[in-house]
Amino acid sequence: NLPELIITLRAMLSRNDSVALGDYIGSAAANTFIFGVLTMLYGAVPVSGANFTLTAGLFLTGLVLFYIFSRSNNRISRREGVALLLLYGIFIAAELM
């Protein structure tokens, strides 16, 4: 989301890699907790099969790519970052359609 992208860009410009990774992990943990609590409060969320399959596929692809990219020299190169951003763009486009 936008706050994580801004923090990542600022950390990248200041050459502080640990801030960007810490923000990413912290955001993922906080989002999981918040969505879990909201789901328990409001009950089940209706999800269509086709939408779930596409979203899950894009999520798993991004997760695998991130893992592979972060394992190469413990860094994500500019090209790998662009690939992850393109995958994110595809996800946004798919969700809007």
Side-chain angles (χ1 to χ4, degrees), residues 39-56:
T39 301
M40 287 190 302
L41 289 175
Y42 295 108
V45 178
V47 178
S48 68
N51 190 28
F52 176 79
T53 303
L54 178 61
T55 301

Side-chain angles (χ1 to χ4, degrees), residues 21 65-76 80:
L21 183 60
L65 286 176
F66 180 78
Y67 177 76
I68 291 169
F69 292 164
S70 65
R71 299 280 296 168
S72 62
N73 298 325
N74 292 326
R75 298 189 81 92
I76 296 178
E80 293 166 341

Side-chain angles (χ1 to χ4, degrees), residues 15-62:
R15 305 261 188 230
N16 193 347
D17 300 339
S18 61
V19 171
L21 183 60
D23 175 62
Y24 181 77
I25 292 171
S27 174
N31 287 342
T32 301
F33 176 74
I34 291 169
F35 286 126
V37 168
L38 291 175
T39 301
M40 287 190 302
L41 289 175
Y42 295 108
V45 178
V47 178
S48 68
N51 190 28
F52 176 79
T53 303
L54 178 61
T55 301
L58 289 171
F59 172 76
L60 288 175
T61 302

